[in-house]
Amino acid sequence: SQQGEEDPQALSIQEGENATMNCSYKTSINNLQWYRQNSGRGLVHLILIRSNEREKHSGRLRVTLDTSKKSSSLLITASRAADTASYFCATDSGTGNQFYFGTGTSLTVIP
Amino acid sequence: DAGVIQSPRHEVTEMGQEVTLRCKPISGHDYLFWYRQTMMRGLELLIYFNNNVPIDDSGMPEDRFSAKMPNASFSTLKIQPSEPRDSAVYFCASSLVQGMTFFGQGTRLTVV
């Protein structure tokens, strides 16, 4: 399966701390995307990183991609209670435009 | 643009009934995806279209499921007959080629 696998499955931190989530995948990709999903809601797109990129930033978010290790990380700096959600990575198949999702990391930020 | 629009947001139906889920992708996007999310199986890709043509339906669980995209602005996912194990949240998503994929709010289906 091409599905990404997030690690850890669950993460609980204090407000203001940084949160790091990792994603590993199995085959070559063109792109990797990170999403957030609040409980009972839809998925919100956070960042897309292409296979020729190593790092991207968006506000308090920093995503890295290491294609040699087939892994990516999402760093949320100075976390807030509103960041509490599940975070998913999605990888393409390398040959098509479809994306496959991992099982997600459940992040809880304690005020 | 209002984003990907799905309807209905919630659907409760009895086992054996036909269910039709609807999706309007973002204007100009040429890829459309249907996903299903459950606690047990996570997010599963069911089928996706490119320029209204089904490209990969290998994720469709069985023949009771069918999807159509009659034009660039509309797609349906139909389940006939529905079963309790089909209960899930169904998401539609759209994108441009190799671009960000945007999701609708989902349809929460409950089959009793």
Side-chain angles (χ1 to χ4, degrees):
Chain A
S1 168
Q2 173 59 8
Q3 280 185 320
E5 293 290 332
E6 288 91 342
D7 169 61
Q9 287 190 331
L11 180 62
S12 183
I13 60 174
Q14 295 289 329
E15 198 166 33
E17 294 180 338
N18 295 341
T20 300
M21 290 158 270
N22 303 296
C23 170
S24 59
Y25 55 92
K26 296 178 181 175
T27 64
S28 297
I29 62 170
N30 293 315
N31 303 292
L32 183 147
Q33 304 188 64
W34 282 93
Y35 288 84
R36 183 185 74 227
Q37 185 179 35
N38 291 82
S39 180
R41 307 292 293 276
L43 288 97
V44 175
H45 186 274
L46 298 177
I47 287 183
L48 178 149
I49 188 166
R50 303 193 187 280
S51 60
N52 62 353
E53 297 175 310
R54 292 296 167 258
E55 188 171 312
K56 285 188 85 168
H57 296 256
S58 176
R60 294 183 296 111
L61 306 180
R62 173 176 167 253
V63 168
T64 62
L65 178 63
D66 187 335
T67 53
S68 66
K69 295 181 179 178
K70 293 186 170 57
S71 68
S72 175
S73 67
L74 170 66
L75 168 68
I76 304 174
T77 60
S79 63
R80 305 167 182 168
D83 295 329
T84 295
S86 291
Y87 292 82
F88 296 88
C89 71
T91 54
D92 65 21
S93 66
T95 57
N97 207 62
Q98 68 273 36
F99 279 83
Y100 299 94
F101 284 78
T103 52
T105 292
S106 176
L107 173 66
T108 301
V109 181
I110 303 167
Chain B
D1 199 311
V4 177
I5 299 172
Q6 292 185 244
S7 64
R9 291 292 307 277
H10 302 273
E11 176 83 29
V12 180
T13 190
E14 292 185 345
M15 182 174 63
Q17 296 297 307
E18 177 180 294
V19 176
T20 299
L21 311 180
R22 297 173 175 79
C23 175
K24 181 180 186 303
I26 293 173
S27 177
H29 282 189
D30 49 7
Y31 282 83
L32 183 140
F33 309 84
W34 283 100
Y35 286 86
R36 178 174 67 177
Q37 186 177 36
T38 61
M39 288 293 292
M40 292 296 294
R41 301 174 69 90
L43 272 157
E44 302 173 277
L45 176 64
L46 301 178
I47 184 173
Y48 80 98
F49 296 82
N50 177 218
N51 292 321
N52 313 340
V53 176
I55 303 300
D56 185 351
D57 65 354
S58 60
M60 296 285 260
E62 48 196 276
D63 291 345
R64 297 184 297 105
F65 285 69
S66 63
K68 294 182 180 179
M69 192 166 185
N71 58 62
S73 59
F74 184 66
S75 176
T76 60
L77 178 67
K78 185 176 294 186
I79 309 172
Q80 167 63 15
S82 58
E83 297 182 2
R85 60 193 170 118
D86 301 330
S87 297
V89 181
Y90 291 81
F91 288 102
C92 176
S94 71
S95 75
L96 291 169
V97 60
Q98 299 295 325
M100 296 186 294
T101 307
F102 294 90
F103 281 72
Q105 289 298 301
T107 295
R108 183 174 295 277
L109 173 65
T110 303
V111 183
V112 298

